[in-house]
């Protein structure tokens, strides 16, 4: 037995017993596993959202953590199941793009050929060995029948090569690109809206053209400069959030409702007037 | 101390501290208990829904798991509290029918006399020994004051006979019956709608009259044949789900919204034309 | 390592990864910590609601439990972070009033000078030692960068004095007072509405003027006498709940919806006619 950490990220919600069935299977194999829920409120079938959420936790968990992610509209089809090993963690998921953001985080690679797993610091295995599956395997719930038992066996020390063959490519979703204008402005989009209604963009701190006198445009609003804290600023504010992304927030309110802004909405950062 | 698994199924929701109060009491008695949430989103006072959800996790958890179920509109009245011991698990709950589906699962009995506990593989005890209760016992929260400490003591190895006397009957809810027609068709009903809007019926795989050319009727829609996976089929599809029940699903959508179908709605399976 | 219990109470919701980020940091420092969620559904920025919820769990958890509470609109400002040590628990939180109800519970003090920490049974420290923080500390997520690692270090046995200097005052919110009338009636208000729609008032059992023939007035309704259990009474009923507060409940229904009553609504208890 081994007290490894296994996290779960799914679109299963919390009203049914699906999550508990996965936990029961894990604990039946490794009673000492420490199971942590990341989120089960991923929008149903929204692989992209899960990919983002998964990337936000990588640096907070100890090395060797096992992250299981199941947003899996293709369950039962021929889509592969994979284990991705990074210097930080093992990730177990359907090979449907759900590991895109983590992959990009680790390889720091541009998106031209993102699907090729050929870095020295990253490995992937296609899960095929039925020895590690729950029996029989249903066609509708691989979370319980494949991903959970594989995670538990991995937590007990099974080498990743025992689950299947190494693969050289994995599915990567095209990650929304930033658009750079000749005037030095940068345009991105909202990729996640959190529980507070904060609008999280795909613009990272290091992407910002200038740190002074920035003008942030969102919907029909303009925000002058970045705030250093939520309590600061004059109602609507822009801030670099705790994961390093540019975020639009409404002071003690809900920016998403206030701006009628959804995922995919445009955010533009301009250098301010001199 | 003992690292037994204790699961919790309630209608308490997750916004209040009720669940945490139960967990605090359990951990105060057995700090090594592994506590797993099944669901706290059972519709308030809906004993039948809890009974179904509880039955779906039995085979996923290791033998000896302790399941605590508290949907308890009669708390503080003379309704009994019981421990049901099956070959698979111990279940601790108010004796209000919440163990009906598990009971039927274990005894595989028809519903004529389902309330009699006289199988050799099943035992029940009425919880009466105040030595194991939190003191004082409130009239409003037996989850915290009786069920939690009893579960914790049981996880430490207390024999079930120490909690009270063996009983020969327990409350069983009439489980919706299937209706068989002379033409070979079978009629059941929707007993649960999951987070994805999947409509789960009380028709099990083994109840299906014929495996080929089936026509599934739900609302005003007809579905031809069973799909083997969610990604299959043409929008609306019928599938045997991961717990063995016939389920109606909308491909990457919400069947419940699409069909305006609720719990109790009729599902009919007909042998198809030859 | 040490199997101390660390609880979490926040307004972070459960759809994002914020809670998991905190748990990852805690487990990275103390892999044996037992982490229990109290609630993450505190209304965003509602410090008062969190203060109430936090007080309801104190007696259910074993002595020495570490409670982390993060409802923190002032994150990144000069508001202090504190550890409050009571005979029952250690509480780690922003010093914004979130510990008010626990403080009052422990000191049993009237509200004249509630902010002074000078009881022999209570101590407070201002958290300032960056040695125990995650590095770098963000301005937006002290839950992950300060409160989580401090809780984990405390669970490993670090003395509270190692985190900073003892302080003599902490922030206390004015707790809604009860109003006593010359006719012996007492007026309070609704301070929390639970998942069932039960209306929990700030009137405690010991505040009630007379135990017999009470008339409870709420909205335009009058309730005669206290019920002993939820199943009792005639639809709308008043009861002393499991934390000792006067609560208005609708038998197998939702009192809040039925009465259109919200937090802050008035409740009056009158001695009945002789």
């Amino acid at each position: 037995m081994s007290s490894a950490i296994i996290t779960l990220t799914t679109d299963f919600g919390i009203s049914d017993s699906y999550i508990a069935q996965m936990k029961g299977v894990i604990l039946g194999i490794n009673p000492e596993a420490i199971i942590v829920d990341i989120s089960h409120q991923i929008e149903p079938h929204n692989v992209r959202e899960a990919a983002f959420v998964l990337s936000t936790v990588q640096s907070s968990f100890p090395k060797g953590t096992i992250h299981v992610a199941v947003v899996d509209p293709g369950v039962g089809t021929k889509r592969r199941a994979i284990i991705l090993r990074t210097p930080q963690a093992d990730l177990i998921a359907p090979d449907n793009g759900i590991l895109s953001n983590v992959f990009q985080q680790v390889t720091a690679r541009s998106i031209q050929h993102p699907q090729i797993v050929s870095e020295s610091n990253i490995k992937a295995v296609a899960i095929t060995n039925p020895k590690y599956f729950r029996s029989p395997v249903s066609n509708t719930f691989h979370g319980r029948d494949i991903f959970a038992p594989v995670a538990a066996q991995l937590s007990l020390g099974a080498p990743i090569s025992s689950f299947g063959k190494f693969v050289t490519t994995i599915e990567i979703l095209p990650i929304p690109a930033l658009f750079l204008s000749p005037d030095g402005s940068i345009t991105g989009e909202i990729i996640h809206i959190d529980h507070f209604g904060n609008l999280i963009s795909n613009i990272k701190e290091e992407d910002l053209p200038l740190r002074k006198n920035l003008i942030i445009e969102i919907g029909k609003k303009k925000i002058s400069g970045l705030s250093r804290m939520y309590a600061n600023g004059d109602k609507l504010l822009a801030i670099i959030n705790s994961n390093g992304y540019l975020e639009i927030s409404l002071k003690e309110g809900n920016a998403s409702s206030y701006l009628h802004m959804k995922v995919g909405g445009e955010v533009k950062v301009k250098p301010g007037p001199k």
Side-chain angles (χ1 to χ4, degrees), chain A:
Chain A
M1 290 191 286
S2 166
S3 60
I5 299 170
I6 298 174
T7 82
L8 304 179
T9 303
T10 77
D11 60 351
F12 296 169
I14 59 165
S15 54
D16 304 297
S17 69
Y18 300 132
I19 304 300
Q21 290 180 56
M22 289 181 67
K23 292 179 179 176
V25 169
I26 291 170
L27 293 169
I29 295 168
N30 182 0
E32 295 194 356
I34 299 166
I35 305 174
V36 178
D37 299 304
I38 305 289
S39 172
H40 302 297
Q41 302 300 115
I42 303 297
E43 187 192 19
H45 317 304
N46 192 335
V47 173
R48 189 181 290 285
E49 185 184 7
F52 170 75
V53 168
L54 204 52
S55 74
T56 62
V57 300
Q58 297 302 305
S59 67
S60 299
F61 279 84
K63 287 201 178 188
T65 293
I66 297 168
H67 299 286
V68 179
V70 190
V71 176
D72 194 12
V75 61
T77 65
K78 289 188 184 294
R79 70 101 186 86
R80 299 186 305 185
I82 54 171
I83 305 173
L84 183 71
R85 172 158 287 175
T86 76
Q88 182 66 23
D90 287 334
L91 299 111
I92 303 176
D95 185 22
N96 61 10
I98 200 169
L99 303 181
S100 298
N101 296 50
V102 168
F103 184 84
Q104 204 184 40
Q105 215 173 36
V106 172
T107 61
R109 199 120 52 93
S110 65
I111 59 165
Q112 276 82 350
H113 298 292
Q115 77 286 3
I116 301 173
V117 182
S118 63
E119 313 288 324
S120 59
N121 65 347
I122 201 164
K123 286 176 195 167
V125 158
I127 301 167
T128 55
N129 189 346
K131 171 183 157 190
Y132 294 113
F133 301 168
R134 193 165 181 263
S135 177
V137 172
S138 70
N139 280 313
T140 53
F141 195 4
H142 287 190
R144 178 193 67 190
D145 299 339
I146 295 180
F147 298 114
V150 164
Q153 294 289 354
L154 196 61
S155 77
L156 289 174
I160 61 169
S161 58
S162 63
F163 296 98
K165 294 199 171 140
F166 286 98
V167 294
T168 54
T169 63
I170 67 168
E171 284 294 317
I172 297 290
L173 298 171
I175 291 174
L178 300 179
F179 184 72
L180 297 165
S181 300
D183 68 351
S185 66
I186 184 165
T187 304
E189 62 183 74
I190 301 306
I191 55 172
H192 184 71
I193 298 174
D194 79 4
H195 175 73
F196 295 96
N198 294 322
L199 302 161
I200 300 166
S201 78
N202 61 339
I203 301 173
K204 298 214 72 168
E205 188 169 17
E206 57 267 30
D207 299 323
L208 294 174
L210 287 166
R211 300 299 304 275
K212 292 179 190 166
N213 301 318
L214 296 179
I215 304 292
I216 296 94
E217 293 181 1
I218 179 144
K220 291 173 178 167
K221 300 282 180 182
K222 294 188 184 195
I223 301 166
S224 293
L226 296 177
S227 292
R228 287 191 64 251
M229 56 198 81
Y230 292 120
N232 215 335
D234 183 20
K235 294 209 74 175
L236 197 67
L237 59 95
I239 197 164
I240 299 298
N241 78 6
S242 59
N243 286 109
Y245 292 95
L246 179 70
E247 177 181 305
I248 312 302
S249 182
L250 185 68
K251 189 174 170 181
E252 299 197 26
N254 186 307
S256 173
S257 306
Y258 178 71
L259 294 171
H260 304 290
M261 183 67 60
K262 297 189 179 169
V263 166
E266 187 177 294
V267 188
K268 189 167 190 173
V269 184
K270 288 181 166 176
K274 290 182 189 172

